[in-house]
């Protein structure tokens, strides 16, 4: 899952980004409307956390522009405005949810999970592929009922692969959805994490769930082959 945070208050923005990354969301940060507009143009996001009062174009202006262009990405609007009229304006402009400042990060994360569940493709809390199961709520991965330890990036990649079960996923797709703009194109993290996941998921088994499709990408299958 990739999320765009648009917030100009430095401490708040950094806190939101850190909390999202701990939860294994790939997260980009824009501190003004122009940067947010550019990032939305070049990237495909699963969710936007958008502050109303950012340097222009403002959050509400951006939201109206995106909706007019047919962009249906879920948007959680953040604002210090407490009047009901402001909330109505935000929702009427296309916001999917509205959170007043100040707020607690656990509430923000709960709103994020709720919005992701309400997308066109519902966010299932439990996903399975053969004897592999991931629990999105507890951030737990099990093989044949036995828990295995995975890093946040390993979890995020596994989540993306299992959401595209029996489909070939390219390295580019994994980079776009698992990493954020801090991705180091000179390193080789995709192959490294695939290697680690294969050891944890398939180990020494003759039949595997995770496969490399030479020249194409990777595929997680619904049964061991």
């Amino acid at each position: 899952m990739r999320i765009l945070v648009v917030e100009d208050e430095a401490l708040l923005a950094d806190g939101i980004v850190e909390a999202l990354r701990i939860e294994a969301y790939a997260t980009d940060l824009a501190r003004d409307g122009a940067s947010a507009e550019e990032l939305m143009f070049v990237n495909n996001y699963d969710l936007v956390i958008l502050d109303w009062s950012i340097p222009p174009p403002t959050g509400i202006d951006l939201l109206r522009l995106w909706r007019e262009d047919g962009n249906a990405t879920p948007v959680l609007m953040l604002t210090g405005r407490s009047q009901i009229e402001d909330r109505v304006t935000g929702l009427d402009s296309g916001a999917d949810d509205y959170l007043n400042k100040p707020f607690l990060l656990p509430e923000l994360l709960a709103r994020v999970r709720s919005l992701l569940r309400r997308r066109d493709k519902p966010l299932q809390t439990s996903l399975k592929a053969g004897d592999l199961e991931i629990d999105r709520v507890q951030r737990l991965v099990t093989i044949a009922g036995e828990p295995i330890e995975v890093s946040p990036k390993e979890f995020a990649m596994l989540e993306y692969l299992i959401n595209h079960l029996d489909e070939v996923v390219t390295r580019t797709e994994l980079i776009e959805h698992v990493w954020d703009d801090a991705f180091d194109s000179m390193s080789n993290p995709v192959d490294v994490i695939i290697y680690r996941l294969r050891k944890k998921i398939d180990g020494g088994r003759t039949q595997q769930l995770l496969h490399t499709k030479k020249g194409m990408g990777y595929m997680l299958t619904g049964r061991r082959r």
Side-chain angles (χ1 to χ4, degrees), residues 1-201:
M1 299 291 175
R2 190 168 186 178
I3 296 175
L4 174 62
V5 176
V6 188
E7 173 60 66
D8 63 327
E9 295 180 35
L11 287 177
L12 177 58
D14 292 344
I16 293 172
V17 169
E18 181 180 5
L20 290 170
R21 287 177 175 167
I22 288 174
E23 293 297 312
Y25 297 112
T27 309
D28 295 333
L29 173 62
R31 299 186 186 275
D32 56 62
S35 300
E37 193 171 14
E38 181 178 353
L39 286 170
M40 279 291 281
F41 180 75
V42 299
N43 297 314
N44 181 23
Y45 291 103
D46 298 291
L47 176 72
V48 179
I49 298 174
L50 179 64
D51 182 45
W52 183 310
S53 303
I54 53 173
T58 66
I60 199 71
D61 290 337
L62 280 177
L63 179 57
R64 287 169 176 158
L65 176 64
W66 293 337
R67 296 308 189 230
E68 287 172 3
D69 287 343
N71 188 327
T73 303
V75 172
L76 171 58
M77 179 71 77
L78 304 181
T79 182
R81 300 166 181 255
S82 58
Q83 297 297 318
I84 186 64
E85 292 83 1
D86 296 319
R87 180 176 297 188
V88 170
T89 298
L91 294 173
D92 282 347
S93 298
D96 297 271
D97 200 357
Y98 196 99
L99 190 57
N100 283 327
K101 299 177 181 179
F103 53 82
L104 297 177
L105 285 175
E107 181 181 6
L108 174 78
L109 294 174
R111 299 289 185 97
V112 166
R113 291 191 295 269
S114 176
L115 284 174
L116 291 173
R117 282 195 297 268
R118 285 157 47 187
R119 295 179 309 164
D120 290 341
K121 185 177 181 180
L123 182 66
Q124 296 173 280
T125 57
S126 180
L127 298 170
K128 294 182 179 181
D131 57 357
L132 165 69
E133 183 173 1
I134 68 172
D135 185 322
R136 283 167 150 170
V137 177
Q138 300 184 55
R139 319 300 289 183
L140 177 67
V141 179
T142 59
I143 296 289
E146 294 296 323
I148 61 173
E149 292 187 9
V150 294
S151 69
K153 275 289 182 282
E154 289 169 351
F155 187 94
M157 185 178 289
L158 187 58
E159 180 183 42
Y160 189 78
L161 287 167
I162 204 169
N163 266 317
H164 296 80
L165 201 62
D166 294 318
E167 299 176 14
V168 176
V169 176
T170 66
R171 295 181 78 257
T172 300
E173 288 176 300
L174 289 171
I175 290 168
E176 289 177 348
H177 289 272
V178 177
W179 276 268
D180 47 42
D181 279 354
F183 176 76
D184 181 4
S185 61
M186 300 302 292
S187 64
N188 196 25
V190 173
D191 295 337
V192 171
I193 292 183
I194 287 289
Y195 172 76
R196 291 176 181 168
L197 283 175
R198 182 172 284 117
K199 288 184 64 177
K200 295 177 180 182
I201 293 171

